[in-house]
Amino acid sequence: MTGLVLSGVTRDFPEPTARHVLRGIDLTIARGEFVSLVGPSGTGKTTLLRIIAGLDGGYTGDIRWQGEGRPRLGVVFQEPRLVPWLGLLDNLLLVSGPDKIERARALLAEVELAGNEDALPSQLSGGMQRRAALARALLVEPDFLMLDEPLISLDAALAERMRRLLNTYWRQRRTTTLLVTHNLAEAAELSTRILILSPSEGRIAADCGLPPPSPRSHNDQAVSAVLEDLRRITHGWPRPEDQQTRGEPGAFSRAG
Amino acid sequence: MNRPATSLLAGTRSIRWGAGWNRLISALALLALWQGAASAIADPALLPSPLATLQAGHAELMRGELIFHVAVTLARVAVAFALAMLIGSAIGILLGRSAMLDQIFNGWLVIGLNLPALVTMVLCYMWFGLTEVAATLAVTINKVPTVAAIVREGTKALDRALFEMTHVFNVTPGRVLLRVILPQLAPSLMAAARAGLALTWKIVLVVELLGRPNGVGFQIRTFFNFFDIASILAYSLAFIGAVIAIEAFLLQPIDRRLGRWRRA
Ligand SMILES: Nc1ncnc2c1ncn2[C@@H]1O[C@H](COP(=O)(O)OP(=O)(O)OP(=O)(O)O)[C@@H](O)[C@H]1O
Ligand SMILES: [Mg+2]
């Protein structure tokens, strides 16, 4: 578990995008928090994750980890990023080392990929690859977990089961987690805190705490009050094109 | 249901047979051409017939010389080739991964690529004497830039997204090399091996001719002094045979295995 302090993090991209993607982001994520980052497509959510992960050095501002040394990161990228010529189990063992084989098998089973240990990524569907990437991130027992839309392209029932898995994992270990999602309901179900990144301004438009999520639904009273607020804030924002939740409640504007 | 399959198979087989026949006819034509030229010149000292060449080769074989010298040359090729592949690949990966190193050493590489093989050989012999080390060094130095250049291009084309993944997960460098870099580099390494080997064969003979007391190159110089063209041809053919055998039984199987690894 590790906390994180961002101060004044700003990221401009040069021409042709020539945009202030992030502008002076001040943000503290305390150890053990489960933070969801919500915002329309192209607002800089992935950019922020990449900066935190140390993959984008082109920012100004300051990032400080709380805790000793470099934290162990677990990342689910927006794309699965599995090694194409390694089977699923080998893909997992690549990041953990061979001695974690039992845990790797167990995690593959937990994301419902048992029996696919030797399958190559190209032999799996997009949703299966994504779940393998989730198992990989959990396998390293990270101090800080970053998830970039990990449940997209899963059907509603499967996404629900994966949310339960994430929730259980967090309740057992209190791993500090930063989740990017387009789905407010998903954010509400999992997080202790929801951040809304505003479109075109590159800043955090809303920052609301929630009671800690035991298994709960988005019909909880306290939660639905917060959701109501957030929906008002995000009302009229562009619906993300890649919204894949298909009729699940809680996208930016209420379905129907 | 079976008939079309059978006829299809028969068709394939006839094509294969055709290819085999074509190769056989082509080889026989070459032999006939040789024989014709030898008959026309009618001077066995200047151009011996295929049969005379075979006899010369047989005599060398019986004396135990042919096998010994071909083996010595193959051993030199193997050592220089392995060294050059190892050093060249390491340099190529470093230059491909670091833009700064590439800028600094690109000029050196260009010089290395254009350095005439003969110059390295002569210099090595002059600096280190007519020794095995000098010979090996000369061949290795000649081949390293070629390997490095090919591997560098392959390294530049490596998948950045996978490196980002191994970076955030803090994967150990050894594991990254073995499981992420080398599988992607396999085609480049294979191309480098091919190009390098073709070069090494030829250079090793000259190195032997210039300053070694054994090997195919040394034998060719000896027979040159005796104006023994039949023996020179016999050694050349034996050597070509060895090269083709290594290509067919070593390189091609490796290539196929790497291909499967990549596609996997
Ligand atoms: N390498 C880059 N060069 C130039 N512009 C970039 C680069 N990466 C991102 N951008 C720009 O930054 C903006 C934010 O991109 P980012 O990927 O962070 O969005 P996002 O919030 O993750 O969107 P989505 O929900 O679609 O994944 C986009 O407008 C994009 O054009
Ligand atoms: Mg994104």
Side-chain angles (χ1 to χ4, degrees), chain B residues 6-241:
Chain B
T6 319
S7 63
L8 197 71
L9 243 156
T12 326
R13 197 172 299 144
S14 82
I15 289 171
R16 282 219 193 97
W17 268 106
W21 279 115
N22 287 345
R23 286 204 196 101
L24 187 65
I25 291 169
S26 140
L28 288 176
L30 190 64
L31 266 179
L33 209 65
W34 180 0
Q35 178 66 53
S39 305
I41 292 172
D43 182 354
L46 213 55
L47 183 59
S49 68
L51 189 64
T53 306
L54 197 68
Q55 280 163 349
H58 186 252
E60 283 294 298
L61 191 67
M62 287 294 109
R63 291 201 300 133
E65 294 283 297
L66 187 71
I67 303 261
F68 169 71
H69 289 290
V70 169
V72 164
T73 299
L74 286 183
R76 287 202 180 103
V77 168
V79 171
F81 173 76
L83 276 176
M85 282 301 288
L86 219 64
I87 301 170
S89 303
I91 294 177
I93 290 175
L94 281 178
L95 296 191
R97 296 281 283 137
S98 158
M100 193 184 74
L101 287 180
D102 194 22
Q103 282 153 14
I104 295 174
F105 291 109
N106 183 47
W108 298 26
L109 197 62
V110 171
I111 292 176
L113 282 168
N114 290 298
L115 193 65
L118 199 58
V119 173
T120 11
M121 287 176 210
V122 170
L123 286 180
C124 280
Y125 276 146
M126 285 164 83
W127 284 332
F128 306 107
L130 298 180
T131 60
E132 200 61 49
V133 173
T136 311
L137 196 68
V139 181
T140 308
I141 289 177
N142 268 296
K143 206 178 101 68
V144 161
T146 318
V147 175
I150 296 175
V151 173
R152 176 183 63 178
E153 294 319 305
T155 306
K156 280 181 181 166
L158 290 176
D159 189 343
R160 287 185 58 86
L162 288 182
F163 280 127
E164 290 189 348
M165 186 276 291
T166 56
H167 175 74
V168 295
F169 281 105
N170 221 354
V171 181
T172 57
R175 232 181 280 149
V176 173
L177 182 71
L178 216 62
R179 316 227 92 188
V180 181
I181 296 183
L182 286 183
Q184 291 182 79
L185 278 187
S188 304
L189 289 174
M190 208 57 217
R194 279 255 158 71
L197 208 52
L199 205 67
T200 313
W201 296 130
K202 289 158 193 167
I203 296 174
V204 164
L205 288 201
V206 184
V207 165
E208 288 173 345
L209 185 140
L210 281 181
R212 292 280 73 214
N214 47 33
V216 174
F218 166 80
Q219 284 298 83
I220 286 176
R221 187 179 66 168
T222 311
F223 293 121
F224 171 72
N225 291 338
F226 294 133
F227 212 84
D228 183 349
I229 294 183
S231 296
I232 291 180
L233 287 179
Y235 268 94
S236 310
L237 289 180
F239 190 61
I240 291 172

Side-chain angles (χ1 to χ4, degrees), chain A residues 37-58:
Chain A
L37 182 61
V38 187
S41 190
T43 46
K45 305 181 296 294
T46 297
T47 303
L48 187 62
L49 253 55
R50 290 177 56 81
I51 289 173
I52 294 172
L55 295 175
D56 182 347

Side-chain angles (χ1 to χ4, degrees), chain A residues 50 70 75 81 85 94 97 120, chain B residues 161 164 175 179 183-184 264:
Chain A
R50 290 177 56 81
R70 183 180 188 252
V75 179
R81 295 211 191 182
W85 45 88
L94 174 70
L120 295 169
Chain B
E164 290 189 348
R175 232 181 280 149
R179 316 227 92 188
Q184 291 182 79

